[in-house]
Amino acid sequence: MLMFSYLMATGITTGAFYALVALGIVIVYKSTEVVNLAHGDLFMVGGMLAYTCYVMGGIPYLPSLLLAVAGAFVVGILTERVAYRSVLKHGLASVLVATIGVSFVLKGIGRYIWGGKGDYLAFPPIVSPEPLQFGNIMIMSQQLVVLLAVIVVMAALALFFKRTRAGKWMQATASNPKAAMLCGLRIDRIYMYTFAVGAALAGAAGVLMAPLTHLYPDVGFVLFIKGMAAAVLGGLTSIPGAVLGGVLLGLAEQLAAGYLHSSFQDVVAFLVIMFALIFLPTGLLGARGLRKV
Amino acid sequence: MTLPVLVGNRSFLALLFGALLALPAFANQYTLFVGNLMLLYIILALGLNILVGFAGLLAFANAAIYGIGAYGTALLQVHLGWSFWAAAPVGAVLAMLIGTLLAFPALRLSGIFLALATLAFAQATQWVLWHWQSVTFGAGGFRVPPPDFGWIPVKQDYGIYFVSWAVTLGLLLFTWRIMRSRIGRAFVAMRDGEIAAQSLGIDLLTYKAMAFALSSFYAGVAGALYSGLLGFVSPEAFDLFQMIIQKAMIVVGGLGSVVGSVLGAALLVYVMEVLREFKSTQEIVFGALLIAFMVFQPHGLVVFMKRWLPGWEEPLHLAGGVQSTAPGHDTSVAGATSKEHASAERT
Amino acid sequence: MKRLSTTITASLAFAAITALDAQAQGANVPGITNSEIKVGSFGPLTGPVYIYGKLTMNGVEVYFNKLNQAGGVHGRKLVLVREDDLCKPEGAIAAVKKLVHDHKVFAIIGGGCSNPTLAARPDIEKERIPFHVFAAVADGIVDPPAANIYTTQITASIESKAQIQWAIDKGAKKLAIVAQHDAWGRARYEPMIQDFKRRGLQVVADEEVTVDQNDGTAQALKLKASGADAVMLLGYPKAAAVVIRDSIKIGYKPLWIGQTAIQDLPALQGLIGISGALADFVSITTVPGHPDNPQYAEWRKLLKDTFPNDDLSVFNLMGIAAAEVFGKVLEAAGKDLTREKFLAAYNTIDNFKSSIYPGPITCKGGHKCNESPAFVKLENNNVVFAGTVALK
């Protein structure tokens, strides 16, 4: 029973990781209909910037976090203006290749600047590194921080898209850019800010998860794949879907590792995806669209 | 006049393949090896372009199918003692059969959802290659005896090079014919509008299965040649990085263009070798080049070729990008269809 | 049209002739001039495991620079030519071919990843170019031995056997394994399983970790349930840290036995975060002590001079150590340098006390020059020597 409780708890906490990454992917997708393949590298950029400020530079934690998020935001704007702006109207395949290019550039820069410092860089957690007790199981305090962040971000994004005008503008742009332009929306600005906010979210996730994932130039890659899997499982346009997808993925991994064998941990996520998409081709909570002729 | 005979895509291909044939005369072993890899990538790009560029199916499983072809061929040689010449076709057919199964999810999924399902399949394949040790030897890879040329008096690396060359040329001509036939037109009809295609009597399952079968067969053939070329097969050669490179090749070359596949593959292999000089900063330069390609010519290099070389025809070139998304999305802004674009070009 | 078909026929004829022609080799020694020796290196410079290539090569370059400052070897300066293999088999084969045929290097000091090096081995043997392995640990690279391949890295089988021996020496009764099953992990895992079989010992738990895993709770739970009192850790620092951290979390504290990939104990402690996590932890080391120790101050300075962004790490030291032996062999080969004399000079390395490797280096009589695993542990945040084992 104890093992089950631990596996459930771990499933939820690792699921929170995937959910946080997935939320960033969803927000970009909701507005641009594009999956940013460089999202994982933006995660790394945020973490590395925070490392430079906090661990190397001695700046206190909160300013370091804000600086890292701001830095990621700026990188998001830069990549949009340089790489994506002119490519967005030319179709998905070209944009994907552009995002691949950005991914290589960011990873290469990360390796160049921070790569020689060691294989994995440690990042101190916000609170004590000692585990906390909850009933009869222990949880790392940083995992609770991430869990909290997921809830906060999910609520904030849901409110943003439902209640604010900017959120409505983004959804309008996604569903019909031409019509949005006709209504007077500056869609190029909207795309730019969407990518920037997505990048900032990735950067924030990078900083919050760094004490648990550690920092290295390729830290974003596997998290991005799993995060994208979670987002697609959730339906790609649904914010609660992203969180649900993430948690389900985390749970599937841990339960398979615990009750089958640890060698299944990595592949279960993908098996779950394949089967889920067979029965729910647009994900769990995705928009079940009408096919237009 | 005589000009269209000298230029245009057919002549370009003839020149390229002529040069590749003559390569062993001028090249050292290193250049020959790279040339051979280039031929393999041309095969892979041709197959992937059939699937993504012509048929509009955004699938991410090609690298895994490539691996199945390589493993199939090599394992038949190592476990059952078959010769390369017997194992290679069987390995390719095995890859084709497994790849064709992916047509079933392709019926229900489209766009990014299909991409993810095929990606999941690819990752699961990697996992199998790592863990089914009794058959695949696990992540450590294994050695394969080189193809035996028997009585033909040819050096090993020349032999595999000429075989690769001949196979690549054969597949190129085959692709050319198919894409100009009913099948090619059916693919493009499917790509440009599934519902319209169905109303024309095109059975989606048949043609999607055919698209997967063709691209998987090509990938399987490339895999068989890979095992013959390297003499060593291991899982990491067929990972996501490989998939990304293949995708980049067809987009840089031009989706929906046979010559575009060749162009993209040849160019990217050449670029990656040249970038060796940059040592550790290779990644940055390569990424920057990809971005530059997409910013200046997102529809692929064939657009340049069409503009500057008279006689270069690309009737099925996808100038608008693959259909991107979930059903219900208005794709009219995601890109023009090739017809619209082509007519815009001629004015 | 006619022009085209004629060209094609001519090319075909030409190609046919050249295919049947045997290639003549140059008589001069490649890579050597009166003033310099070109030494090639291949390994990952980009990609997730770039540290095994790039950083090790940085170390080699630092050592070569030091030799060059003192005038080189017999008046010739050493020039390092790097090639990226991307940790892929075709990358290594291409890199080796390029080094041999384009750059025409004298010898190669390299090999960052095991699989690619294994894939390139037939080419290296065929070219008879001297090859000194500096990082890859797979036994298959030197076993069965090739006349032109030597390694100063402790190979995977030696490390795996040593890990088991340590556990037994310390009185452990139930041994478990936590391993990565990628190519690197398998190179260690397979000899370990063989050694367990040879000893007639049972593995009470055999768990897998992946390189990027962020949580080791499932593995820790299985280990705890098996009652293992000693766990062989065959992982990179992140995987190891995650398993140890989550084991502490669930209250499981066995004897952890690591290997050279996790020999940087202070760094590992930092990754785990919980104080006292490595109280019951030993690891095999290529480097006695820690890169931050005063004995490595000279290398720290030299590294910073050449690579200002980097901090001295175990990987740099691995490169420096390998280059030191390589340099000694070059010295012993004499001024009248050929590849054959260079390879013969490896036999002069007998019980050589390296300034970095903990044990003696002996290339005489065998191609595995380094067969002495030493163990380290963490005491009051200092890395201290913990002992050795006697391997049969």
Side-chain angles (χ1 to χ4, degrees):
Chain A
M1 195 54 213
L2 183 64
M3 174 141 148
F4 182 72
S5 320
Y6 260 118
L7 291 174
M8 290 297 281
T10 310
I12 294 176
T13 49
T14 36
F17 283 19
Y18 302 147
L20 203 50
V21 175
L23 284 169
I25 295 173
V26 166
I27 188 179
V28 170
Y29 185 83
K30 255 176 110 72
S31 180
T32 63
E33 301 262 326
V34 164
V35 174
N36 185 0
L37 298 180
H39 192 83
D41 304 289
L42 292 163
F43 179 97
M44 179 267 295
V45 165
M48 289 298 193
L49 286 175
Y51 179 85
T52 312
C53 297
Y54 183 51
V55 177
M56 284 169 59
I59 301 174
Y61 186 81
L62 211 47
S64 294
L65 172 62
L66 293 172
L67 278 170
V69 172
F73 186 85
V74 167
V75 172
I77 293 193
L78 274 172
T79 54
E80 197 278 335
R81 303 217 63 184
V82 171
Y84 306 150
R85 172 156 298 187
S86 40
V87 189
L88 273 172
K89 48 182 167 315
H90 292 293
L92 182 64
S94 312
V95 181
L96 284 183
V97 174
T99 59
I100 290 170
V102 169
S103 170
F104 275 118
V105 171
L106 290 177
K107 253 204 283 265
I109 293 178
R111 252 190 259 293
Y112 185 76
I113 301 179
W114 293 284
K117 304 212 177 298
D119 44 2
Y120 299 98
L121 303 174
F123 194 95
I126 300 181
V127 260
S128 142
E130 305 288 329
L132 301 172
Q133 182 127 18
F134 277 83
N136 54 354
I137 59 171
M138 313 279 281
I139 299 189
M140 312 297 296
S141 50
Q142 194 72 19
Q143 288 172 320
L144 293 173
V145 171
V146 175
L147 208 48
L148 192 62
V150 169
I151 298 174
V152 166
V153 170
M154 180 173 90
L157 284 180
L159 273 174
F160 174 75
F161 280 113
K162 272 220 177 83
R163 296 292 168 83
T164 66
R165 279 199 308 178
K168 298 236 168 73
W169 293 341
M170 280 193 190
Q171 290 180 86
T173 318
S175 97
N176 198 330
K178 263 193 184 147
M181 270 200 290
L182 288 172
C183 289
L185 294 179
R186 297 279 311 270
I187 56 171
D188 49 338
R189 281 264 181 91
I190 291 178
Y191 284 158
M192 185 171 82
Y193 285 122
T194 307
F195 275 106
V197 169
L201 207 55
V207 181
L208 291 174
M209 304 205 302
L212 298 163
T213 64
H214 312 124
L215 286 171
Y216 47 110
D218 299 89
V219 66
F221 178 67
V222 172
L223 277 169
F224 168 71
I225 300 287
K226 300 261 173 88
M228 183 167 83
V232 173
L233 185 62
L236 259 191
T237 49
S238 160
I239 289 171
V243 176
L244 184 62
V247 170
L248 283 177
L249 236 48
L251 284 172
E253 278 187 353
Q254 295 301 315
L255 291 173
Y259 291 117
L260 292 175
H261 189 266
S262 46
S263 45
F264 286 97
Q265 186 162 346
D266 220 29
V267 78
V268 158
F270 298 111
L271 292 175
V272 166
I273 304 290
M274 283 200 289
F275 288 114
L277 286 177
I278 290 177
F279 296 107
L280 297 159
T282 52
L284 292 166
L285 302 177
R288 247 160 273 296
L290 306 161
R291 294 178 72 185
K292 290 221 194 112
V293 183
Chain B
M1 309 242 285
T2 51
L3 208 52
V5 177
L6 288 180
V7 289
N9 33 11
R10 259 170 280 228
S11 309
F12 166 77
L13 285 175
L15 271 168
L16 178 66
F17 274 81
L20 282 173
L21 181 61
L23 189 69
F26 308 103
N28 63 24
Q29 283 190 37
Y30 165 66
T31 318
L32 192 66
F33 182 75
V34 174
N36 207 334
L37 280 177
M38 189 185 284
L39 289 168
L40 295 190
Y41 275 112
I42 291 177
I43 298 177
L44 287 164
L46 283 171
L48 190 61
N49 213 340
I50 293 176
L51 189 62
V52 179
F54 285 95
L57 297 166
L58 191 64
F60 271 76
N62 216 48
I65 310 280
Y66 178 35
I68 293 176
Y71 266 88
T73 310
L75 289 174
L76 283 170
Q77 293 177 260
V78 169
H79 283 307
L80 297 178
W82 288 20
S83 85
F84 173 78
W85 312 105
V90 177
V93 168
L94 178 67
M96 179 176 86
L97 290 174
I98 295 182
T100 313
L101 292 175
L102 293 174
F104 288 101
L107 281 180
R108 297 201 59 164
L109 304 169
S110 63
I112 207 88
F113 295 95
L114 180 63
L116 191 75
T118 46
L119 179 71
F121 168 81
Q123 296 295 95
T125 308
Q126 274 279 307
W127 186 89
V128 168
L129 292 177
W130 272 28
H131 289 89
W132 197 12
Q133 271 136 237
S134 51
V135 171
T136 65
F137 301 99
F142 61 101
R143 191 149 294 151
V144 166
D148 186 4
F149 287 94
W151 49 270
I152 305 177
V154 69
K155 275 172 41 171
Q156 196 62 37
D157 42 356
Y158 281 33
I160 191 80
Y161 183 83
F162 286 128
V163 169
S164 307
W165 184 89
V167 170
T168 311
L169 185 62
L171 285 175
L172 171 67
L173 295 172
F174 180 65
T175 316
W176 191 275
R177 292 257 30 230
I178 288 233
M179 291 305 122
R180 274 165 170 63
S181 75
R182 274 197 63 191
I183 298 176
R185 288 196 291 274
F187 284 163
V188 174
M190 230 169 36
R191 171 190 84 193
D192 288 342
E194 275 193 11
I195 296 178
Q198 280 181 303
S199 68
L200 289 171
I202 293 174
D203 176 30
L204 291 184
L205 176 60
T206 312
Y207 284 99
K208 286 190 180 181
M210 213 180 287
F212 272 105
L214 281 170
S215 65
S216 306
F217 180 70
Y218 283 50
V221 168
L225 290 171
Y226 172 92
S227 74
L229 173 65
L230 253 69
F232 184 88
V233 179
S234 61
E236 64 263 31
F238 313 110
D239 64 0
L240 212 48
F241 181 80
Q242 169 68 224
M243 187 68 246
I244 286 174
I245 298 287
Q246 289 179 28
K247 270 280 149 78
M249 283 176 176
I250 59 172
V251 176
V252 164
L255 290 174
S257 159
V258 172
V259 187
S261 318
V262 177
L263 201 53
L267 184 67
L268 244 57
V269 169
Y270 179 72
V271 162
M272 287 198 287
E273 283 308 310
V274 166
L275 287 185
R276 277 185 178 281
E277 291 314 303
F278 286 89
K279 311 292 174 192
S280 316
T281 47
Q282 271 173 76
E283 276 175 317
I284 302 178
V285 180
F286 185 68
L289 280 175
L290 281 182
I291 296 175
F293 270 125
M294 290 301 105
V295 167
F296 292 111
Q297 200 38 268
H299 297 149
L301 290 172
V302 286
V303 179
F304 276 138
M305 305 305 240
K306 246 194 318 198
R307 203 175 291 167
W308 298 114
L309 291 180
W312 189 292
E313 332 153 337
E314 289 295 348
L316 302 174
H317 176 225
L318 179 61
V322 181
Q323 277 202 355
S324 59
T325 60
H329 172 70
D330 175 6
T331 54
S332 61
V333 179
T337 60
S338 48
K339 262 228 167 100
E340 263 183 56
H341 198 96
S343 55
E345 287 266 335
R346 281 194 203 108
T347 49
Chain C
M1 227 35 232
K2 214 161 111 185
R3 232 186 294 167
L4 213 49
S5 49
T6 324
T7 327
I8 291 187
T9 326
S11 314
L12 267 165
F14 202 150
I17 296 171
T18 9
L20 303 177
D21 195 334
Q23 271 187 4
Q25 280 296 345
N28 295 330
V29 184
I32 302 183
T33 66
N34 282 333
S35 57
E36 72 175 32
I37 304 175
K38 255 202 284 197
V39 179
S41 185
F42 70 93
L45 294 176
T46 58
V49 279
Y50 71 102
I51 34 175
Y52 283 97
K54 181 175 171 186
L55 297 188
T56 321
M57 288 185 208
N58 285 0
V60 171
E61 207 169 296
V62 163
Y63 190 82
F64 280 6
N65 285 348
K66 181 175 175 203
L67 278 182
N68 291 342
Q69 299 281 32
V73 177
H74 295 302
R76 296 188 177 101
K77 303 249 162 118
L78 296 173
V79 173
L80 185 68
V81 180
R82 306 185 188 207
E83 282 297 339
D84 190 357
D85 69 1
L86 297 154
C87 201
K88 300 269 159 116
E90 60 268 25
I93 296 179
V96 166
K97 284 189 197 270
K98 182 150 188 163
L99 287 171
V100 171
H101 297 285
D102 265 8
H103 296 294
K104 298 197 173 36
V105 298
F106 169 71
I108 300 179
I109 176 169
C113 285
S114 286
N115 269 7
T117 314
L118 281 171
R121 181 181 153 159
D123 268 285
I124 295 174
E125 278 187 78
K126 196 180 70 170
E127 299 294 342
R128 282 190 289 233
I129 183 168
F131 174 45
H132 186 125
V133 184
F134 69 10
V137 296
D139 286 80
I141 301 173
V142 284
D143 210 355
N148 58 328
I149 305 181
Y150 283 89
T151 179
T152 45
Q153 257 310 62
I154 302 182
T155 59
S157 64
I158 297 178
E159 284 200 53
S160 294
K161 288 185 192 157
Q163 285 175 278
I164 299 177
Q165 189 63 50
W166 183 273
I168 293 177
D169 287 351
K170 295 297 166 200
K173 295 283 178 286
K174 292 184 172 178
L175 279 64
I177 305 176
V178 170
Q180 283 169 207
H181 281 239
D182 55 4
W184 174 90
R186 290 200 57 82
R188 294 168 182 278
Y189 176 79
E190 261 150 34
M192 182 169 274
I193 293 289
Q194 300 286 21
D195 205 44
F196 267 103
K197 275 206 188 101
R198 185 183 67 89
R199 293 168 185 270
L201 273 179
Q202 211 209 3
V203 185
V204 303
D206 187 354
E207 299 299 319
E208 177 178 342
V209 279
T210 53
V211 180
D212 287 289
Q213 204 164 303
N214 291 309
D215 195 296
T217 310
Q219 283 78 4
L221 287 168
K222 301 291 265 293
L223 288 171
K224 186 175 182 185
S226 73
D229 48 8
V231 180
M232 319 288 125
L233 264 178
L234 303 179
Y236 284 168
K238 174 166 168 162
V242 148
V243 169
I244 297 178
R245 180 194 74 201
D246 290 322
S247 297
I248 296 176
K249 186 179 81 177
I250 64 169
Y252 172 61
K253 295 189 174 153
L255 169 63
W256 298 103
I257 306 175
Q259 25 68 38
T260 50
I262 43 181
Q263 60 179 293
D264 188 340
L265 301 186
L268 187 62
Q269 169 67 49
L271 291 178
I272 299 172
I274 303 174
S275 63
L278 298 180
D280 227 347
F281 177 95
V282 290
S283 177
I284 303 180
T285 180
T286 10
V287 173
H290 189 265
D292 288 345
N293 286 5
Q295 74 207 83
Y296 301 120
E298 179 200 5
W299 302 118
R300 228 187 334 274
K301 180 179 176 314
L302 285 173
L303 188 84
K304 270 291 185 211
D305 289 343
T306 333
F307 302 104
N309 259 350
D310 294 4
D311 294 325
L312 188 69
S313 69
V314 171
F315 306 97
N316 300 130
L317 289 171
M318 263 163 47
I320 293 172
E324 188 187 26
V325 176
F326 186 86
K328 266 202 82 58
V329 177
L330 260 182
E331 181 82 40
K335 183 143 177 64
D336 190 16
L337 190 57
T338 65
R339 282 178 175 170
E340 291 72 29
K341 288 177 90 183
F342 177 72
L343 286 170
Y346 269 94
N347 286 311
T348 66
I349 306 289
D350 192 6
N351 262 313
F352 169 58
K353 181 79 190 74
S354 148
S355 60
I356 293 179
Y357 291 124
I361 303 293
T362 302
C363 302
K364 177 172 178 176
H367 290 253
K368 294 185 189 182
C369 304
N370 188 348
E371 297 187 288
S372 342
F375 284 82
V376 285
K377 63 182 174 184
L378 204 60
E379 221 162 69
N380 297 327
N381 270 327
N382 290 322
V383 179
V384 299
F385 179 66
T388 53
V389 291
L391 287 174
K392 289 159 221 57

